Amino acid sequence: MKTWVPSDLVADELSELPGVECAVYDGTSPMPEGVEEVEVWIPPLVTVPDVPGTLARMRSLRLLQTVTAGVEPYRPHLPEGAVLCNARGVHEAGTAEWAVGAMIAVLRDFPGFVDAQRRGEWTYHHTGVLADSTVLIVGYGSIGAALERRLDGFEVEIVRVARSARDGVHGMDELPALLPEADVVVLLVPATAATAGMVDAAFLARMKDGAVLVNAARGGVVDTDALVAELKTGRLRAALDVTAPEPLPEGHALWSAPGVLITPHVAGSTPASVRRTLRLVRAQVERYLAGEPLVNVITDSY
């Protein structure tokens, strides 16, 4: 079974499985031979060039297993007969941990204190605090639940919003009324047509003065120009692991906007994610070989 994998680490993990022939393709090296014969493709974390063209040539593809929760680069171009599965559960710990660290860093003004340390200045002042805050989680799925578990003990009120309302979780139609009460708004929604640009000027205007926007979703969920405009007023602050465009180019206004902490899409880039990726990939390929039901099958937009 010809299988393309993103790294030697994944190839080693699958090497003991009978009949699995691995070729490493990370998108930076030349494409291996035999693309028409690839039955299982596990793409790398960073999207390879020309996904539509690559998938169009994969006439034998039956399983596309991503190592990311998002599947937007692949879903529209999936060949007939292939099943698309995501890496739900792999990046929950890292992403949730990043979100907690990012909101605390912004609220407690850690970036400002780091700048003062570099200047050798003792800049004593009161800061914000997470305790007694209302944290609004927009996109309450498995990562949102992982974030809530990590916030337990910080003495905050959690408000949950998802695509569809359910017990204890508000629907998206209730979001405008919830925004003005939140001290921290965490974005964990997938990239879909419905979420593209959802955090626009009107969304940001409804956030309360001094609130923090935390984006651990996708850069395209936020209207970057609208966010920069709000940050320049000093009314809102933000912590961003993703941006639009991405990577953020040198000289972009977001780099120098006040009150923003930017990390280069690293929330899920941790040893824990690597370990969980290897476990998921091996178990999934074992299920495929045995003809057993696969997990994390994408049947809708996510």
Side-chain angles (χ1 to χ4, degrees):
M1 182 178 73
K2 186 176 286 294
T3 303
W4 279 8
V5 297
S7 66
D8 290 330
L9 202 60
V10 176
D12 289 344
E13 186 67 27
L14 300 181
S15 63
E16 298 175 0
L17 300 182
V20 177
E21 176 190 341
C22 289
V24 175
Y25 179 49
D26 64 2
T28 64
S29 55
M31 183 180 291
E33 295 181 358
V35 60
E36 298 84 1
E37 303 167 4
V38 173
E39 189 172 341
V40 176
W41 184 25
I42 305 166
L45 197 62
V46 178
T47 307
V48 304
D50 191 20
V51 167
T54 300
L55 285 174
R57 298 173 62 190
M58 287 185 165
R59 294 189 290 269
S60 302
L61 188 67
R62 294 297 175 265
L63 170 61
L64 198 166
Q65 171 64 60
T66 70
V67 297
T68 58
V71 295
E72 59 272 13
Y74 310 102
R75 187 177 179 276
H77 313 290
L78 195 68
E80 185 177 355
V83 176
L84 174 62
C85 301
N86 74 355
R88 178 184 173 94
V90 163
H91 302 291
E92 291 172 359
T95 303
E97 184 176 287
W98 177 90
V100 174
M103 65 179 76
I104 291 175
V106 173
L107 287 166
R108 299 308 305 265
D109 197 21
F110 286 175
F113 288 127
V114 169
D115 288 342
Q117 178 183 344
R118 291 186 179 128
R119 298 191 304 267
E121 297 178 8
W122 188 269
T123 55
Y124 173 86
H125 60 272
H126 279 224
T127 70
V129 67
L130 188 54
D132 303 328
S133 296
T134 296
V135 178
L136 176 61
I137 301 175
V138 183
Y140 189 82
S142 59
I143 297 177
L147 173 58
E148 181 171 1
R149 291 194 298 271
R150 283 156 179 78
L151 287 172
D152 185 34
F154 278 97
E155 303 175 32
V156 299
E157 178 186 359
I158 303 292
V159 180
R160 311 166 194 88
V161 176
R163 179 173 54 170
S164 302
R166 54 185 186 271
D167 188 30
V169 182
H170 299 273
M172 281 290 185
D173 59 323
E174 301 175 77
L175 183 56
L178 298 170
L179 285 171
E181 305 302 319
D183 300 288
V184 180
V185 177
V186 184
L187 304 175
L188 295 173
V189 295
T192 67
T195 62
M198 66 176 286
V199 182
D200 55 13
F203 182 111
L204 296 168
R206 295 194 68 82
M207 291 176 61
K208 71 190 296 185
D209 291 354
V212 178
L213 180 73
V214 178
N215 191 2
R218 287 292 185 267
V221 171
V222 177
D223 181 330
T224 301
D225 292 340
L227 177 59
V228 169
E230 280 284 6
L231 292 171
K232 285 182 176 179
T233 70
R235 195 181 71 82
L236 300 178
R237 290 170 291 172
L240 311 174
D241 188 50
V242 289
T243 60
E246 187 176 306
L248 197 63
E250 182 179 356
H252 193 282
L254 197 54
W255 284 121
S256 56
V260 62
L261 169 65
I262 301 172
T263 58
H265 206 151
V266 297
S269 300
T270 71
S273 293
V274 172
R275 290 190 294 268
R276 296 170 193 209
T277 295
L278 293 175
R279 287 199 296 266
L280 171 67
V281 165
R282 183 184 177 107
Q284 191 78 305
V285 173
E286 287 176 338
R287 291 186 193 94
Y288 177 79
L289 290 170
E292 298 174 353
L294 302 174
V295 299
N296 297 350
V297 176
I298 303 298
T299 56
D300 200 348
S301 57
Y302 60 94

